[in-house]
Amino acid sequence: MAKKPVKFKNYEGQQYEIKLRKPRKEVKAAGICYPPENVGIARILVNPHQEDDDVQETIIHEISHAFFWGTSEDKITYFAKTLSQILNKLDNT
């Protein structure tokens, strides 16, 4: 059974919905954060068919886009990877 989407608002009040669902094949990414619209809910899709650590990193990555739209992909990737590693180290202590 599929899990319900999780909804949240960023600091600008834009509502997002996260679904654990593989993005379309043509996207060729583990996750995607669709750009916010003027109205409605912006969507984030995360491929659940990854290692658990990779799913966590992808979720962090895509939520980071929601909060820091326009930040470079390199900076978002670096932040998500670093935060995921920190959380994993703390979880294993």
Side-chain angles (χ1 to χ4, degrees):
M1 180 192 283
K3 292 184 178 182
K4 283 185 164 186
V6 173
K7 295 180 182 180
F8 70 94
K9 289 184 180 181
N10 67 8
Y11 59 88
E12 293 174 334
Q14 173 65 50
Q15 187 166 359
Y16 284 83
E17 175 181 86
I18 303 174
K19 290 184 180 179
L20 291 177
R21 193 185 99 205
K22 188 174 180 181
R24 295 185 324 264
K25 289 180 187 177
E26 56 270 16
V27 173
K28 295 185 179 168
I32 187 165
C33 180
Y34 289 99
E37 302 285 333
N38 290 334
V39 295
I41 298 173
R43 294 183 355 162
I44 294 174
L45 300 177
V46 174
N47 183 355
H49 308 292
Q50 308 177 69
E51 296 291 325
D52 288 346
D53 290 349
D54 293 334
V55 170
Q56 173 183 275
E57 185 176 323
T58 303
I59 290 169
I60 293 168
H61 181 106
E62 300 308 334
I63 290 174
S64 297
H65 279 303
F67 278 89
F68 308 109
W69 197 261
T71 299
S72 75
E73 189 68 17
D74 288 341
K75 287 180 181 179
I76 294 288
T77 298
Y78 185 79
F79 172 75
K81 184 174 290 303
T82 301
L83 181 54
S84 186
Q85 289 171 349
I86 290 168
L87 292 173
N88 289 334
K89 287 178 183 177
L90 289 171
D91 192 40
N92 292 326
T93 56

